[in-house]
Each structure stands twice: as C-alpha cells, then as structure tokens.
Amino acid sequence: MSLVVFESVKHIHCAECRRGPIRHVVREAGVPRCLDCADLGHLVYLPRGDAALTRRAREASSLSAVVVRLHKRRRRYERRGLLVEDTALARAERACLADAEARARRRERDRLRRAAEDTRFTAAFAAEIRRLFPGCPADRARAIAAHASLRGSGRVGRTAAGRALDEQAVSMAVRAAVRHLDTEYDALLMAGVPRFAARARLAQRIDAILDGWRSGTAAAEPETARGGSS
C-alpha cells in the first residue's frame, strides 16, 4: 500500500512544528504535518509525465509516497507525482538515458500500430454507417466516422459500444452529425435555447433526414460533409 501525500492549494501550517504554509501535507491522526515532521523530508518530488522514469524511481526507492491533489470540479483526488529518494531518482534517470533510443523506437512503433488500427476502425465504422444508412453519401459517412472515432476524444465511437460497432452507437453518431450540420441546432444553443428544448424542436426534421438516408431516397448536401459532435 502506497503512502499518500496531499498537495495543498490552501495556506496550511504544520500542526507539529507550526511551519507554513506547506505545499505537501501528510495527514496523521486527522491533523496536517509537513514532510519533515512526517519523516519524509529527505524525499524529492518527481512530477508525473514520464512513465518510465516514475516506474524506475519507485522501484529503486526503498521509501516513496504518491502525491495527490483534489480536483474540485471532478470531486476526486488526482495523482500529481511521486516522492522518492534522491539516489533512486538519479539511478532511474541514468537508466532512462541509457535506453532512451530504444524506448523512442518502441514509441514510434506503437504510434504507427495505433494509427493503422484507427484507420481500419474508422473504415469499418464508415461501412457500418453506409449499411445502416445507404442514402448517406460515402464521403459524409467517412467524415462522420472519422469524427466519432477519434482516439482520445471520448466520443461515441470510442465507447465500448462504438468500438463494437453497436447499431445504436453508430446511429447516435450519425444523428449527432445531422443535428449539428444540417439544422440550426448550434445557432439555437448560441441564442440561449436549452439543449433539450433545441433537440425537441428539431427532432422531426432530423428524423426525416435519417429516414431518407435509411431508405436511400435522400442525402445531405455534399458541402456539409464534415464530422459532427457526438
């Protein structure tokens, strides 16, 4: 079990030595203590960001502590870095320098692999759009698929259902694209119309476009063929 140190944004003073304000706080018996009073003052701070360096420093350090800070909006503590022994950090830095080139090559291989996976998935997503909505132009289907399946976007194409090409998830991506690109939905939002009210107002028109795409009897204008939010 890892020791936990809190990164404070408030002016907190140590309950033992009264020194402060202190940035890194250890809570013992419900009161804050500075690193020195908690016998962690000899450790050095390693910010998050370099996974290899963090892993090696933690493994080389006989004593370490995870540093977290409260994210108020998300209402949870998020990891900020690590406190480790100075000698362990130096050893980890030397190890990372020694194999930096090999790790760079591995990162590049991983990047190319992910890019190929994304290309295949986007093509499959676009093909599923065309299967469900044969009236949707091919270039529009590709644009919707590229937007919905962008890695790291959190959009519907990156959900578990989206990656499985679930019919409902694919349909949601298409509906979102039509909503944003073929109606005045965005203008309504900018005018202060509540989101759900704007959706209800435009639902019939969106359904008509989607029904036309499903039956193959209608298609959107080519110049609107770019992605849409999911």
Side-chain angles (χ1 to χ4, degrees):
M1 183 176 179
S2 299
L3 296 174
V4 177
V5 171
F6 300 91
E7 186 176 278
S8 177
V9 295
K10 299 180 180 179
H11 293 286
I12 295 179
H13 289 67
C14 177
E16 189 168 330
C17 69
R18 303 299 179 183
R19 187 175 56 188
I22 52 178
R23 180 188 180 194
H24 291 135
V25 179
V26 179
R27 295 197 176 277
E28 294 179 336
V31 297
R33 286 184 169 83
C34 67
L35 295 181
D36 287 332
C37 291
D39 293 330
L40 299 177
H42 64 294
L43 302 181
V44 295
Y45 179 59
L46 173 61
R48 61 176 298 183
D50 189 325
L53 181 61
T54 297
R55 174 178 53 79
R56 285 170 165 165
R58 184 176 60 245
E59 291 172 350
S61 187
S62 58
L63 179 64
S64 64
V66 176
V67 179
V68 299
R69 185 170 72 183
L70 178 64
H71 192 297
K72 290 185 178 180
R73 184 171 60 83
R74 296 177 180 173
R75 297 181 180 179
R76 69 184 185 194
Y77 284 98
E78 296 185 342
R79 187 168 181 155
R80 302 291 295 175
L82 198 67
L83 290 170
V84 295
E85 294 166 335
D86 191 28
T87 54
L89 178 56
R91 191 183 312 166
E93 289 173 336
R94 289 194 298 270
C96 286
L97 285 174
D99 67 357
E101 184 177 347
R103 288 187 293 115
R105 289 196 300 268
R106 184 166 61 249
R107 285 195 298 270
E108 178 61 12
R109 290 195 301 270
D110 289 343
R111 185 189 68 80
L112 294 174
R113 174 183 53 77
R114 289 192 298 268
E117 290 174 352
D118 289 347
T119 298
R120 290 192 295 269
F121 175 63
T122 300
F125 202 97
E128 185 63 9
I129 291 174
R130 293 278 288 166
R131 186 185 74 81
L132 296 173
F133 302 92
C136 177
D139 58 345
R140 184 72 184 273
R142 288 191 296 269
I144 295 172
H147 181 86
S149 63
L150 181 64
R151 183 182 291 270
S153 66
R155 296 172 186 144
V156 66
R158 302 310 304 185
T159 64
R163 292 195 299 271
L165 299 179
D166 175 78
E167 182 173 328
Q168 183 176 1
V170 175
S171 297
M172 285 174 59
V174 176
R175 186 177 190 86
V178 170
R179 180 190 306 125
H180 285 277
L181 301 176
D182 299 285
T183 73
E184 66 274 21
Y185 176 73
D186 291 353
L188 291 175
L189 295 185
M190 290 298 293
V193 177
R195 179 164 58 95
F196 290 109
R199 291 190 178 194
R201 185 185 302 183
L202 300 170
Q204 187 173 357
R205 191 188 314 172
I206 294 171
D207 287 339
I209 295 173
L210 294 180
D211 289 343
W213 283 6
R214 286 192 187 93
S215 64
T217 60
E221 293 297 322
E223 58 267 22
T224 66
R226 57 185 177 88
S229 297
S230 57

